[in-house]
Amino acid sequence: MSSGIESILTETRVFPPFPNLVQGAAISGMDEYRALCQEAEQSPDEFWGRLARENLAWTTPFKQVLDESEAPFYRWFGDGEMNVSANCLDKHLDTPTANKTALIFESDDGKVSTVTYKQLHARVCQFANGLKSLGHRTGERAIIYMPMSIEAVVAMQACARLGIIHSVVFGGFSSKSLHERTVDVGATLVITADEQVRGGKSIPLKSAVDEALAMGGCDAVAHVIVYKRTGGAVQWQEGRDLWMDELSAGQPDVCEPVPLNAEHPLFILYTSGSTGKPKGVQHATAGFLLWALLTVKWTFDAKDSDVFWCTADVGWVTGHTYITYGPLAAGLTQVVFEGVPTYPNVGRFWEMIQRHKVTVFYTAPTAIRSLTKAAESAPDYHPREYDLGSLRIIGSVGEPINPEAWMWYYTNVGRERCPVLDTWWQTETGAHMITPLPGVTPLKPGSCTLPLPGIAAAIVDEAGEPVESGKGGFLVVQRPWPAMIRTIWGDPERFKKSYFPPELKGAYLAGDGAQRDADGYFWIMGRIDDVLNVSGHRLGTMEVESALVAHELVAEAAVVGRPDATTGEAVVAFVVLKRSLPEGAEADQIAKQLRDWVSKEIGPIAKPKDIRFGENLPKTRSGKIMRRLLRVVAKGETVTQDVSTLENPAILDQLSQAR
Ligand code: PRX
C-alpha cells in the first residue's frame, strides 16, 4: 500500500463541481448521472445497446447486446460487425474534423509536427496496404515495440484496420520480455524503430528485437518493420527487415477497413499478475472502443475545441485507450510526447501545456510527486512560472494519489479552477470505471469517487457478501461491462481463476482492496495480491523473484514492496546467495550486478531499489516465506508480530541490519 494511505483515511475536504463545467457537460449534474445509473441498472441491455448504436458505426448492426451463455466469457454485440480504425478515422472524413489536427507530436528535443485526421487516415491506409502487400492478414498477431510517435499510432491503427491483433510491448522492456511476449502471442510480424530518444539519449530498439528473435521459438515472425527515428546503425536481415517509410511509400492512400466481428480481439496487452508469468490481457473490438469513446466523452467531457494530452506511453493500457483509440474516435486534437517530464528541465510538462494550449491534461501521480519535489528545488520551473490558463480538466491515473499530491496538483497546475479527476481502472477493465465527472461529482482528495453509469462496482468480503461503509474489502464489479477483459491469451483457466473466483458469485475481482465512505465514495487502498505498483507500473513480485533466482549467484529470493514517497512503492529484494554472505564493497558490487541483471531480464522499471543479503529468509516450519514480516523489515520498522512459528527468528535481525 502506498505511503498516502494514512492521510487518505483522515481526509475530509470536499470540492463541489465548478458551475462553468456543469453547464453543457456531457453528463450535467447529479440528477442526470443518477438517471443514467438507474437506466443501466434497470435495463442493462437497453442501456448498452442504445449507447453502442448511438456511438459506433456498424457495418452489420448487432441484434444481441450481451451473451452470457458462456460466462465469465461474455460476448458483447457478438452478432454485429464493425471496424475500430474506421470508427476512429473514416467516420471523420466527411465532416469538418477531416481537416482538424489529430496529433501534435513533440519530440524529445522539442521539434513539433502535426497531422490532420485526413492525413492520419492516409498514412494508416498506406501502411495497412503495405502490410497487406507482404501478405499479412486478419487474425495474425503483431508485436509493436516502438517509441512514442505518430508512427506508433499509425502502426496500431493499421493493425486494427486489418484485424491484425496487436500486442504493444513498452519500449522500456528488455529483449527477454519482448521474446516472451513474441512467443506467447505467436507473432508473425514485429513493428519497431531503429532507436528511441528519451531525455537526450538514444536507446536502441531494433537490436533488442534482433536479440529477442534470436532467442528461439519465433520462427513465425516473417517481417520486422522498422521506423527510422534516428538513423542510428542497425543490423539488417534481408527479406525479413523492411523500413516502414519504404513499405508505405507508393501505396494507395485508401485501404478498405475489414469488417470484423464485434468480439474479434483488438489487442493483447501483457500485465503482471501474481505468478512469474505476465498475463496477455485480451480485449475485443466493439466493446473496448465503445467504452474508450464514452469515457473520453463523459469523464473528460470532450469538446470539439479541446487539446487533449495523456502523458502515458502507448506501451501501457492508458496509451491504448486514451491516445490511440478513445480521443481519435472522439475527433479530438491531442498531444503525443516522445520524451520525459524532466528533460531538458523539470518544467517540460508545464511548458508544453502552455505551448500547445492543452485543455485536458492526464498524467500519473508519480509524475506529479516527482515534479512537486523538483519544482520546490528548481523554482524557475515551478508550474506557477507558466501560463496554464488553457487547462479545464486535469486527471490522474495508475496508482493511488495521496491527498498531498492531489492538493499540489489542484492548486499549482489546476490553479483551483480545474477538477482533478482521479480515475480508477486497470488494463483488464479497458477504460475508466470509478472516476469523478467534471459536471457532476464533488471531489474529495484521494478518492476516485463514484462508479460510472453501467459499472456495478462494490466492496465485498471473502464470501462475496457486501461490506458496510467504512470497512475495507475486495473491490469487485458485479455485472459485466463491454470493455472488460475477454480472456487471458492462451490461458482461459487462468482468466477464470484470477478474475472470477467461485466464492465471489460471478463478480469480477479487481485485485485491489478498497472501502467506501458514508457518501458511497470509493477509496482505493492498494493491491491485495503479490502485485506491486512502482511509478504506476504493475510488477509481480514473483516476476522479479524469478528473474533474481535465474542469476547464477542466487539461491533464493523474496521480493516485497515498500512505500516510497515518489514512486508509490519501491521494490525491495531479500536475497540468499549460493556463496557466503558478502559484506561492504563486495555486497554493493553484487547488489549492482543483480540490479543490472533484473533490468536485463525484465526492464529497468523492475530494478530493486534495495537488495538485502541474508543467510536465509524468514520461513515457517513448513517452509513458507513470511513476506508479511519482510514487508515490515523492508520499511525499516521493528517486527512486533509473533514470530514463534518461524523456523529461524534470528534471521529477521540479520536482514534488518543487512545493507
Ligand atoms: O491497483 C490499481 C492501480 O493500478 C492497478 C492497475 O494497473 P494497470 O493495469 O497497469 O493499469 C494502470 C492504468 C489504468 C489497479 O489495480 N490503480 C490504477 N488507477 C488507480 C489505481 N489505484 C488507485 N487509484 C487509481 N486512480
Side-chain angles (χ1 to χ4, degrees):
M1 285 189 193
S2 99
S3 52
I5 295 305
E6 290 76 21
S7 49
I8 277 178
L9 295 176
T10 54
E11 183 56 50
T12 53
R13 286 167 285 200
V14 181
F15 298 83
F18 297 103
N20 63 319
L21 291 180
V22 177
Q23 226 185 9
I27 304 181
S28 176
M30 198 49 98
D31 289 349
E32 201 173 319
Y33 163 77
R34 291 230 170 87
L36 277 167
C37 293
Q38 211 176 10
E39 182 193 347
E41 213 176 296
Q42 283 171 354
S43 34
D45 273 22
E46 278 97 275
F47 173 78
W48 291 117
R50 171 177 75 74
L51 292 170
R53 274 180 218 105
E54 285 172 6
N55 287 280
L56 299 179
W58 296 85
T59 41
T60 306
F62 59 90
K63 291 198 193 72
Q64 188 177 21
V65 174
L66 174 62
D67 176 358
E68 303 189 65
S69 59
E70 309 277 325
F73 300 94
Y74 296 100
R75 290 173 59 83
W76 284 91
F77 321 115
D79 53 1
E81 284 188 343
M82 51 92 73
N83 182 285
V84 163
S85 176
N87 270 275
C88 292
L89 301 171
D90 306 45
K91 83 164 185 208
H92 304 303
L93 293 181
D94 293 328
T95 75
T97 307
N99 292 314
K100 180 176 171 179
T101 301
L103 305 177
I104 304 171
F105 173 70
E106 184 164 316
S107 68
D108 188 65
D109 63 358
K111 291 200 185 72
V112 175
S113 48
T114 61
V115 282
T116 64
Y117 272 89
K118 208 164 139 188
Q119 289 164 333
L120 183 60
H121 171 264
R123 281 171 71 168
V124 169
C125 285
Q126 286 183 309
F127 186 57
N129 280 326
L131 294 179
K132 262 166 74 174
S133 75
L134 297 175
H136 292 292
R137 294 286 179 267
T138 306
E140 290 181 32
R141 274 83 59 205
I143 289 281
I144 298 181
Y145 186 61
M146 295 180 84
M148 287 298 290
S149 52
I150 293 175
E151 284 70 15
V153 176
V154 167
M156 292 166 81
Q157 284 281 345
C159 286
R161 200 164 185 88
L162 300 178
I164 293 174
I165 305 158
H166 62 65
S167 185
V168 183
V169 178
F170 173 56
F173 276 122
S174 66
S175 53
K176 182 99 191 294
S177 299
L178 181 62
H179 172 254
E180 205 172 36
R181 288 153 173 75
T182 308
V183 172
D184 200 63
V185 296
T188 52
L189 173 67
V190 177
I191 309 171
T192 188
D194 49 0
E195 299 182 313
Q196 59 179 332
V197 187
R198 289 168 69 80
K201 287 196 223 77
S202 298
I203 308 150
L205 287 176
K206 169 67 163 61
S207 64
V209 172
D210 293 338
E211 263 174 55
L213 297 187
M215 287 177 194
C218 307
D219 296 344
V221 175
H223 298 106
V224 175
I225 299 169
V226 188
Y227 156 52
K228 193 182 280 176
R229 166 62 186 90
T230 62
V234 287
Q235 303 260 327
W236 209 250
Q237 188 170 316
E238 280 311 324
R240 185 195 72 177
D241 299 350
L242 296 118
W243 290 110
M244 187 174 185
D245 55 350
E246 288 177 10
L247 180 63
S248 291
Q251 293 289 346
D253 60 7
V254 176
C255 171
E256 274 310 303
V258 176
L260 297 165
N261 183 277
E263 281 294 312
H264 180 76
L266 175 64
F267 66 85
I268 301 160
L269 186 60
Y270 284 81
T271 190
S272 297
S274 44
T275 73
K277 192 172 180 279
K279 310 186 261 203
V281 172
Q282 181 182 317
H283 277 288
T285 290
F288 171 81
L289 190 69
L290 174 64
W291 204 219
L293 171 58
L294 272 177
T295 52
V296 167
K297 287 186 178 176
W298 287 354
T299 311
F300 296 117
D301 190 27
K303 307 274 189 230
D304 192 40
S305 53
D306 271 330
V307 177
F308 183 88
W309 184 18
C310 164
T311 68
D313 191 285
V314 289
W316 308 113
V317 73
T318 309
H320 282 59
T321 312
Y322 298 108
I323 295 177
T324 304
Y325 293 115
L328 292 181
L332 297 185
T333 295
Q334 59 175 325
V335 174
V336 173
F337 177 42
E338 179 179 46
V340 298
T342 48
Y343 180 84
N345 57 58
V346 296
R348 182 68 182 263
F349 274 3
W350 325 132
E351 191 189 321
M352 283 181 62
I353 291 172
Q354 174 179 284
R355 178 160 45 248
H356 301 299
K357 303 200 167 37
V358 171
T359 58
V360 179
F361 180 64
Y362 190 36
T363 196
T366 287
I368 298 163
R369 286 193 297 262
S370 68
L371 292 175
T372 304
K373 242 173 38 189
E376 305 311 330
S377 54
D380 288 356
Y381 302 117
H382 193 282
R384 70 174 160 253
E385 300 301 317
Y386 300 84
D387 177 3
L388 305 182
S390 55
L391 287 174
R392 38 181 219 104
I393 288 166
I394 55 179
S396 165
V397 58
E399 47 180 320
I401 177 163
N402 45 309
E404 298 73 18
W406 194 103
M407 282 308 301
W408 186 88
Y409 193 32
Y410 179 77
T411 311
N412 294 289
V413 181
R415 309 276 160 88
E416 301 181 18
R417 41 164 217 88
C418 304
V420 174
L421 308 181
D422 176 4
T423 60
W424 178 86
W425 60 296
Q426 313 174 287
T427 307
E428 292 88 340
T429 69
H432 299 160
M433 299 292 278
I434 309 179
T435 174
L437 300 172
V440 175
T441 325
L443 306 171
K444 301 186 188 183
S447 168
C448 54
T449 75
L450 300 170
L452 285 165
I455 302 303
I459 299 179
V460 299
D461 62 16
E462 289 90 347
E465 296 302 326
V467 163
E468 61 188 277
S469 62
K471 291 238 168 72
F474 301 137
L475 178 56
V476 297
V477 187
Q478 293 174 316
R479 290 279 312 151
W481 67 103
M484 68 193 296
I485 174 176
R486 292 304 193 265
T487 188
I488 293 175
W489 179 259
D491 202 347
E493 277 312 307
R494 190 175 177 197
F495 165 75
K496 278 205 282 196
K497 236 174 93 192
S498 308
Y499 303 111
F500 295 93
E503 54 283 11
L504 295 187
K505 308 175 175 80
Y508 164 84
L509 176 68
D512 279 351
Q515 63 181 55
R516 290 182 92 160
D517 65 17
D519 297 325
Y521 276 42
F522 285 75
W523 300 78
I524 307 292
M525 315 308 286
R527 298 287 306 188
I528 52 166
D529 51 13
D530 294 322
V531 170
L532 305 182
N533 195 324
V534 181
S535 299
H537 300 145
R538 248 165 93 167
L539 267 183
T541 51
M542 292 267 286
E543 253 176 291
V544 186
E545 287 168 10
S546 323
L548 282 167
V549 295
H551 191 280
E552 56 181 10
L553 286 177
V554 177
E556 221 179 345
V559 166
V560 299
R562 175 177 71 202
D564 185 282
T566 306
T567 57
E569 275 186 302
V571 177
V572 179
F574 294 90
V575 173
V576 182
L577 295 176
K578 287 179 185 158
R579 42 151 286 167
S580 58
L581 198 64
E583 284 179 3
E586 197 187 14
D588 289 344
Q589 188 253 324
I590 299 178
K592 178 175 183 308
Q593 212 178 325
L594 294 182
R595 243 181 240 119
D596 293 346
W597 171 263
V598 172
S599 180
K600 222 169 153 259
E601 288 283 294
I602 305 175
I605 50 169
K607 266 192 194 180
K609 183 156 186 188
D610 192 359
I611 296 188
R612 310 258 187 115
F613 297 109
E615 275 156 348
N616 210 328
L617 296 171
K619 287 183 188 157
T620 58
R621 294 207 168 91
S622 58
K624 196 168 165 278
I625 298 174
M626 296 291 282
R627 285 160 210 282
R628 194 164 43 82
L629 301 179
L630 288 176
R631 278 193 277 272
V632 178
V633 174
K635 277 201 259 183
E637 292 173 1
T638 313
V639 175
T640 52
Q641 288 97 326
D642 178 15
V643 295
S644 58
T645 56
L646 278 191
E647 172 81 39
N648 50 351
I651 192 65
L652 290 172
D653 282 340
Q654 188 182 61
L655 293 172
S656 304
Q657 284 152 26
R659 43 138 284 109

